[in-house]
Amino acid sequence: MGPKIIIHGGFFSESGTNSEIKLAKQEALTEIVKKSYSYLESHSALDTSVYAVSLLEDCELFNAGIGSQIQSDGKIRLSAGLMDGSSGKFSGVINIQDVKNPIQIAEKLISYDDRVLSGSGALDFARKKGFEYFNPETKQRREEYEKKLNASAGLGTVGCVALDKKGRIAAATSTGGKGFEIPGRVSDSATVAGNYANQFAGISCTGVGEDIVTAGLSVKIVTRVIDGMSLKEATLKSFEELKVIDGFAGIIGISASGEIFHLDSHPYMVWASFDQELSVFP
């Protein structure tokens, strides 16, 4: 089986009806998934997930890393989660400030016993590991903050699920939050609800973090794959249960059999995949 990869850039609702921004996001996803697939051909699923999400964090069109949403106190706090399906290890950073690529800090943590750090502890760790000060704020985000244009913003997260040539699966997710949230609010991205992988499947989520955590969405879908469901069947059943709370979520996933699947409850999630051929939506 050849390598496979799928990435997402959150929901289009963040950019409203601006067709130019939508096109720009599609083009960015296309470029990033191509680069990431090429990288995957000679690297592990874990390394590729970090590589792909780093590229997404570096693109200010998305709400992760550069261009993240600003919280109610005027500060940007970033969260990211990473899971290696082979080792079963999860790592993450929650509400870290003044860094460029939170997913790379999560990668450093995966070899430690204490693998999920928050706030100042996460920042201290990052500085000790050589991650220098970086302000991820953009002019557009500051203008949105000052005008309090938050009604349709904040649903954008980025993520990647990769399956490498050796059959290993990894998932990585990163977010700048929903915008104007209470400082200290924790999203799903650095939890197993929003990012999960093992030897059977990997999932990365986007949407309303509270809904995703309430549903335990990623780990629930993967558990159903373990129990014998296809990735599609497991996702559809889990999204039916999500309707009970009127949950807002989107997922991308890959199973060990090579099945790639994506689904969202409130279109349109933007995604791109590469499995011998390129697919981009919408």
Side-chain angles (χ1 to χ4, degrees):
M1 187 191 311
K4 301 174 188 291
I5 188 169
I6 184 168
I7 63 175
H8 71 76
F11 282 88
F12 264 152
S13 55
E14 187 182 350
S15 57
T17 57
N18 188 322
S19 59
E20 290 184 1
I21 293 179
K22 291 180 180 180
L23 179 60
K25 284 189 174 186
Q26 290 171 331
E27 291 175 344
L29 284 173
T30 299
E31 180 180 357
I32 290 170
V33 80
K34 285 181 177 179
K35 287 182 178 179
S36 300
Y37 182 80
S38 178
Y39 189 87
L40 179 59
E41 290 185 306
S42 57
H43 292 80
S44 71
L46 183 67
D47 290 344
T48 302
S49 293
V50 174
Y51 175 79
V53 169
S54 294
L55 292 178
L56 289 161
E57 288 175 338
D58 290 344
C59 181
E60 65 180 58
L61 291 168
F62 303 108
N63 177 30
I66 300 172
S68 290
Q69 294 284 345
I70 301 174
Q71 297 188 357
S72 60
D73 62 352
K75 300 181 184 299
I76 291 175
R77 296 177 177 86
L78 309 176
S79 297
L82 174 67
M83 189 156 188
D84 180 11
S86 296
S87 66
K89 290 183 177 180
F90 181 96
S91 62
V93 291
I94 299 172
N95 287 329
I96 189 170
Q97 294 179 244
D98 302 327
V99 296
K100 184 171 183 278
N101 293 107
I103 195 63
Q104 294 178 17
I105 303 165
E107 180 186 26
K108 294 290 185 184
L109 280 165
I110 207 161
S111 62
Y112 283 74
D113 291 333
D114 303 326
R115 293 192 293 274
V116 181
L117 300 181
S118 65
S120 60
L123 183 58
D124 289 343
F125 176 85
R127 294 290 185 257
K128 289 177 182 177
K129 290 298 178 181
F131 291 87
E132 298 179 351
Y133 172 85
F134 183 84
N135 181 5
E137 182 179 304
T138 63
K139 180 180 179 182
Q140 177 185 339
R141 291 304 191 204
R142 176 53 59 178
E143 290 175 350
E144 290 174 355
Y145 174 78
E146 291 175 351
K147 296 177 182 178
K148 298 187 180 299
L149 296 179
N150 189 44
S152 63
L155 298 174
T157 296
V158 302
C160 173
V161 181
L163 171 69
D164 63 28
K165 292 179 179 179
K166 295 183 179 181
R168 298 171 298 192
I169 301 171
T173 308
S174 181
T175 186
K178 64 181 182 179
F180 289 90
E181 62 265 62
I182 298 171
R185 178 253 183 187
V186 176
S187 75
D188 65 289
S189 297
T191 75
V192 295
N195 188 91
Y196 194 79
N198 63 12
Q199 65 268 41
F200 293 90
I203 300 290
S204 172
C205 293
T206 183
V208 175
E210 286 74 7
D211 293 348
I212 293 167
V213 169
T214 297
L217 195 56
S218 284
V219 70
K220 180 184 289 184
I221 292 171
V222 173
T223 299
R224 284 175 165 153
V225 174
I226 295 171
D227 290 341
M229 286 188 176
S230 69
L231 179 59
K232 179 178 180 179
E233 290 170 338
T235 303
L236 291 174
K237 182 172 179 59
S238 299
F239 268 68
E240 279 297 315
E241 295 170 352
L242 192 64
K243 291 179 181 178
V244 175
I245 60 169
D246 191 28
F248 193 127
I251 71 99
I252 56 172
I254 300 178
S255 72
S257 66
E259 180 186 5
I260 297 178
F261 192 66
H262 57 87
L263 186 66
D264 47 53
S265 60
H266 295 70
Y268 300 106
M269 175 180 66
V270 292
W271 60 268
S273 66
F274 211 115
D275 174 18
Q276 311 302 319
E277 295 183 0
L278 171 70
S279 297
V280 183
F281 182 85

